[in-house]
Amino acid sequence: MPDTSKTETPKPKKAASNSKSQRATQPATDVPFPEQGHGGEVHQQAENQSERLTTAQGVTISDNQNTLKAGASGPALLEDFVMREKIFHFDHERIPERVVHARGYGAHGVFECTKAIPELTMAAPFQEVGKTTEVFTRFSTVAGSKGSADLARDVRGFAVKFYTNQGNWDLVGNNMPVFFIQDAMKFPDLVHAVKPEPDTGFPQAQSAHDNFWDFISLTPESMHMVMWTMSDRAIPRSFSTMEGFGVHTFRFINSEGKSTFVKFHWKPKLGLQSKVWNEALKTNGADPDRHRRIMWEEIDTGNAPRWDLAVQTFDQEFADSFDFDVLDPTKLIPEEVIKPEIIGTMTLNRNVDNFFAETEQVAFCTQNVVPGIDFTDDPLLQGRNFSYLDTQIKRLGSPNFTKIPVNRPKGCPVHNYQQDGHMQTSARAGRVNYEPNGWEEGPREHPLEGYVSYRQPIEGDKQRLRPESFADHYSQARQFYISQTEVEQQHIQAALVFELSKCEMLGIRRRIVSHLLNIDQTLAEGVADGLGIEDLPKAAPAAQQPRTDLDPSPALSIVKNGPDSFAGRTLGVLASDGADAATLTALKDAAAAEGVMIKLIAPKIGGFTDSNGDKHPADEKVDGGPSVLFDAVAIILGDATSKAVAAMPPAQDFLKDAFVHCKFIATAAPSARLVEACGLTDKLDDGCVSLTDKASAAAFIKRCADLRYWDREAALWPA
Ligand code: HDE
């Protein structure tokens, strides 16, 4: 039965406005040195009872610096339970990382229903406008290990756990609406191929190597997804500027048992935005934690990232008439064909208290559904429903992973007769541990309100067969490509050339080009040319003739779906002693008015003194804050210091990279020296503006809403 209570779960602990972290900070004054022992080791003593350091058994520790020894220099004594317990626990701190999606970052938040849809589904979060449901969301890359860099060219995971009061519902999606393969049976091969090659153990977090492209070149069903992974979708600016998709077709079930097909979409409130490849590479060096750091800061500063949840819903009649099989996860339904309807908003407003306890131990399972949500026969989804539970046992080591706070249902009670197992923390009291029982105790099933699977009629022979309706592998790949702007098409071509240039086997490069010939002739020719292939191979044999009549879908382009303003972005301001105070203030005011963050970069981290004599501490020293970390840049140098700054290589990189990455650039007069040192004096274009007064500062911030001055790119990368 649908739940009609207004507020489903308690609001997250901290609201966006007061979500500042509880991280320890130190005062600017000198910190006194604590007492030292015989060897100069530092002893810090507890001043009150509650903060005493103890063993796991609660015994207060008298000395956390020295092992118990026989004599001053040893040997160490086995009876030192304090030291042994400490080292024993340390030795066991690691758990297996996720086999895919190992690198991830999560946060708590809330989903609020903005359009009730009880006629479609009885799922609790969608019953009433204003109803809130607590969520935990984890974003991830797929291929890299836990310690890999955030800006890998890769698919991003977008997994949301809804703590509904009908139980936990996990919507475990990606930032791309299709997938590489049509059957779960192929997943281990795909993942083996993309991960580091087994003999060398590299490359890390990269698809640019022979094994991946060898597999792809022999797997035509991957072609649509490859268009996505070679596009800028694979190098998002931040989690808060990327979309999410449930990928599969699911079912909504209403209280009468009626099924409606549904595809889930997350739409970022900040609009879509990505990096360019050269910028992504440099970002990985400058800040490998870029995506997690941005999200942490967004939440910590009260700029909670938000996404609308939208649904494409349709019936069997539409499914039968649609160009492709809606159960094929390598296909999407264009938004122009079925408009996604917004039904709610997710706000991530609370950082975790502890990364390991929450983000690392969160266990998403596609089979975690609640009444009102059901599966379809998508063979990828069916396979996932086995895999996720299985993988959690391996990773978390016990069937009791559901008792860990981040995994425990929060919106409803849990009662069952499951017992024992490693780390049991909530054993039932009493005698009864089975059902039915004659003791008149314990939980019972509920035929009316319990989860009932959709009564889907089934017929057919048992067999290993791919349906013929899955055979078209190129038409939507082409549709994706022709839906992109010229700049984005160019990026896809460049990405393919980059990746295939890392493949040593010529045959692999040629096989990919032969697939591209089934997608777009110009793309195939461009890639062949970029690879130095002179004689074009023949088009790959297609299981089904590719269609060329599908209309472009503007919703598939990032550039066409950017923001209306520069809000939520960061402007990097390179400044030095003597920087004009009025210009700085004008820029700060204009940025604040538009909701734009400013970071100050200076030759020294101690900061700079402006023309009024006011001191500004820097957020970054110039070589620690390259322009790849910012969405646009401004250069405000002091007259007397501009010459020295212009001679600094990292200052030159700051400007040159911003220029090459097509960012908007504002310069105040004395900065011309740096412009000149970078050889850009004659190249400044409409994306570069002079800061002269208040009005020009405001106009610059408005101009930045376009995010990039793409016209520059054609001039930079002549064909
Ligand atoms: Fe996953 N996937 N996957 N996947 N997946 C895992 O589960 C798997 C697929 C996705 O932040 C694993 O807990 C199979 C599609 C996300 O913790 C594992 C198949 C989509 C996450 C697994 C797929 C995803 C995972 C590894 C082919 C988008 C991270 C660790 C049938 C719709 C969740 C884990 C998190 C994680 C299996 C394909 C998304 C091994 C067998 C398609 C976001 O169970």
Side-chain angles (χ1 to χ4, degrees):
M1 289 289 284
D3 180 278
T4 50
S5 65
K6 174 94 179 157
T7 298
E8 183 169 76
T9 53
K11 289 232 178 206
K13 274 197 291 192
K14 300 169 208 159
S17 53
N18 63 356
S19 65
K20 289 234 182 275
S21 64
Q22 306 299 310
R23 307 191 81 198
T25 51
Q26 288 210 341
T29 49
D30 289 342
V31 180
F33 282 107
E35 181 197 320
Q36 294 182 17
H38 292 295
E41 75 277 22
V42 168
H43 290 275
Q44 287 183 306
Q45 283 166 25
E47 280 167 20
N48 60 54
Q49 178 71 28
S50 65
E51 297 213 344
R52 284 185 178 187
L53 190 67
T54 73
T55 65
Q57 305 300 329
V59 175
T60 300
I61 294 170
S62 62
D63 183 340
N64 190 34
Q65 323 304 325
N66 297 297
T67 302
L68 185 67
K69 297 186 214 80
S73 33
L77 296 178
L78 194 58
E79 75 173 54
D80 185 355
F81 62 88
V82 179
M83 175 270 201
R84 277 191 293 121
E85 184 201 78
K86 186 175 177 182
I87 300 277
F88 139 80
H89 197 278
F90 170 75
D91 289 347
H92 297 271
E93 277 177 5
R94 294 290 173 274
I95 62 171
E97 66 173 32
R98 289 162 173 84
V99 60
V100 281
H101 296 265
R103 171 92 182 157
Y105 207 63
H108 299 269
V110 70
F111 173 80
E112 181 170 354
C113 177
T114 55
K115 181 172 192 278
I117 47 166
E119 69 286 4
L120 293 177
T121 175
M122 53 186 165
F126 310 130
Q127 295 310 297
E128 205 182 327
V129 171
K131 180 166 179 161
T132 57
T133 304
E134 207 174 327
V135 297
F136 185 83
T137 298
R138 181 177 180 270
F139 301 100
S140 48
T141 54
V142 177
S145 293
K146 207 179 144 209
S148 56
D150 280 353
L151 256 302
R153 171 178 292 287
D154 201 351
V155 189
R156 297 300 183 289
F158 194 130
V160 184
K161 190 180 282 291
F162 291 80
Y163 302 95
T164 89
N165 55 9
Q166 295 167 316
N168 287 353
W169 168 39
D170 294 352
L171 182 55
V172 196
N174 278 345
N175 75 330
M176 300 178 189
V178 291
F179 202 63
F180 291 102
I181 46 171
Q182 295 173 321
D183 193 304
M185 183 91 162
K186 295 307 300 165
F187 193 61
D189 296 301
L190 167 72
V191 174
H192 289 177
V194 72
K195 286 266 184 181
E197 299 192 359
D199 50 350
T200 58
F202 56 75
Q204 177 58 241
Q206 288 181 48
S207 54
H209 60 111
D210 285 82
N211 277 10
F212 176 72
W213 286 102
D214 184 31
F215 176 81
I216 293 296
S217 69
L218 298 169
T219 311
E221 72 208 60
S222 297
M223 288 308 140
H224 185 192
M225 181 64 164
V226 162
M227 288 294 110
W228 283 81
T229 58
M230 292 301 109
S231 78
D232 295 345
R233 297 263 180 173
I235 39 174
R237 168 200 180 266
S238 56
F239 302 138
S240 52
T241 56
M242 66 184 200
E243 286 181 295
F245 303 90
V247 175
H248 315 282
T249 298
F250 290 87
R251 288 179 190 279
F252 269 156
I253 309 291
N254 72 9
S255 54
E256 264 123 48
K258 181 171 176 264
S259 157
T260 305
F261 291 123
V262 56
K263 280 185 172 282
F264 294 100
H265 297 238
W266 292 105
K267 301 262 176 201
K269 289 277 198 191
L270 285 183
L272 301 187
Q273 187 178 348
S274 281
K275 294 278 196 188
V276 294
W277 179 233
N278 180 269
E279 183 190 14
L281 287 176
K282 290 175 175 166
T283 304
N284 278 340
D287 185 7
D289 306 305
R290 195 66 203 143
H291 285 162
R292 55 179 64 192
R293 191 187 304 279
I294 291 178
M295 186 160 83
W296 172 279
E297 287 181 1
E298 283 171 340
I299 296 174
D300 201 40
T301 55
N303 295 304
R306 300 200 299 151
W307 292 258
D308 284 331
L309 178 64
V311 288
Q312 286 179 305
T313 55
F314 53 97
D315 56 15
Q316 188 65 51
E317 204 184 322
F318 171 85
D320 294 339
S321 68
F322 183 54
D323 297 327
F324 304 98
D325 195 327
V326 300
L327 302 181
D328 175 355
T330 66
K331 306 294 185 302
L332 53 80
I333 301 175
E335 297 190 16
E336 294 75 11
V337 175
I338 297 182
K339 188 175 180 300
E341 189 88 44
I342 294 174
I343 56 172
T345 304
M346 173 172 74
T347 306
L348 296 182
N349 56 9
R350 180 159 63 90
N351 279 316
V352 295
D353 290 326
N354 183 275
F355 175 81
F356 180 86
E358 294 156 79
T359 308
E360 200 52 22
Q361 293 200 113
V362 66
F364 293 97
C365 294
T366 53
Q367 80 275 17
N368 288 354
V369 289
V370 293
I373 312 279
D374 207 336
F375 313 114
T376 60
D377 290 343
D378 175 337
L380 208 58
L381 177 59
Q382 297 281 325
R384 293 179 75 200
N385 286 343
F386 161 72
S387 182
Y388 288 67
L389 182 61
D390 189 43
T391 209
Q392 305 314 345
I393 307 283
K394 166 76 180 172
R395 234 166 41 76
L396 300 167
S398 154
N400 291 317
F401 71 83
T402 52
K403 314 274 167 79
I404 298 171
V406 72
N407 294 324
R408 202 186 290 151
K410 299 181 191 191
C412 61
V414 174
H415 297 298
N416 57 48
Y417 299 101
Q418 295 168 13
Q419 68 174 27
D420 303 350
H422 288 293
M423 314 296 166
Q424 178 60 262
T425 54
S426 54
R428 280 181 64 79
R431 174 177 197 171
V432 177
N433 60 352
Y434 56 92
E435 189 273 340
N437 67 67
W439 302 105
E440 306 217 335
E441 259 189 44
R444 298 279 193 272
E445 63 198 23
H446 197 301
L448 294 179
E449 293 182 15
Y451 186 92
V452 179
S453 293
Y454 176 65
R455 288 175 67 107
Q456 182 190 337
I458 305 282
E459 62 175 32
D461 301 334
K462 198 191 286 181
Q463 55 191 329
R464 294 186 190 275
L465 196 69
R466 197 73 63 91
E468 263 181 53
S469 53
F470 281 30
D472 181 342
H473 301 138
Y474 300 106
S475 304
Q476 281 208 339
R478 174 187 171 77
Q479 183 177 36
F480 178 79
Y481 183 72
I482 61 170
S483 303
Q484 308 300 310
T485 59
E486 219 171 291
V487 165
E488 292 171 297
Q489 289 185 341
Q490 195 50 44
H491 290 179
I492 294 173
Q493 183 177 312
L496 282 161
V497 171
F498 174 91
E499 297 254 325
L500 293 168
S501 299
K502 295 275 182 189
C503 296
E504 290 163 10
M505 276 167 63
L506 185 61
I508 296 175
R509 298 185 204 151
R510 292 181 68 85
R511 278 206 299 269
I512 293 293
V513 172
S514 68
H515 285 299
L516 297 178
L517 282 163
N518 287 332
I519 297 173
D520 185 272
Q521 180 79 21
T522 326
L523 173 65
E525 285 171 6
V527 171
D529 180 50
L531 293 169
I533 295 177
E534 282 162 12
D535 57 322
L536 269 190
K538 283 204 188 93
Q544 193 170 307
Q545 189 54 29
R547 294 174 54 169
T548 52
D549 60 337
L550 299 178
D551 291 333
S553 161
L556 300 177
S557 152
I558 297 173
V559 170
K560 291 177 197 162
N561 293 281
D564 299 331
S565 86
F566 199 46
R569 270 71 180 177
T570 306
L571 176 68
V573 181
L574 176 61
S576 61
D577 284 341
D580 184 58
T583 307
L584 200 59
T585 307
L587 201 56
K588 279 188 170 175
D589 290 349
E594 205 71 12
V596 173
M597 275 75 71
I598 283 202
K599 295 268 184 191
L600 296 178
I601 300 99
K604 289 185 185 162
I605 192 67
F608 64 95
T609 305
D610 68 23
S611 57
N612 280 353
D614 291 330
K615 182 96 186 163
H616 302 265
D619 296 293
E620 296 284 0
K621 179 175 175 307
V622 63
D623 53 357
S627 61
V628 295
L629 305 183
F630 310 110
D631 298 295
V633 300
I635 320 266
I636 310 179
L637 303 179
D639 206 11
T641 50
S642 63
K643 198 168 163 205
V645 175
M648 295 172 74
Q652 292 180 10
D653 284 350
F654 187 91
L655 180 57
K656 273 197 256 180
D657 275 347
F659 188 79
V660 170
H661 300 147
C662 300
K663 289 181 180 165
F664 287 100
I665 298 169
T667 50
S671 314
R673 288 206 180 91
L674 180 59
V675 175
E676 197 186 325
C678 294
L680 293 176
T681 312
D682 302 333
K683 297 194 178 132
L684 296 185
D685 51 33
D686 287 351
C688 306
V689 305
S690 293
L691 288 179
T692 47
D693 53 11
K694 254 180 137 167
S696 63
F700 170 65
I701 298 289
K702 289 268 184 228
R703 186 87 173 83
C704 289
D706 285 349
L707 304 180
R708 308 264 177 168
Y709 182 68
W710 289 122
D711 287 355
R712 193 182 295 149
E713 200 169 67
L716 287 168
W717 301 90

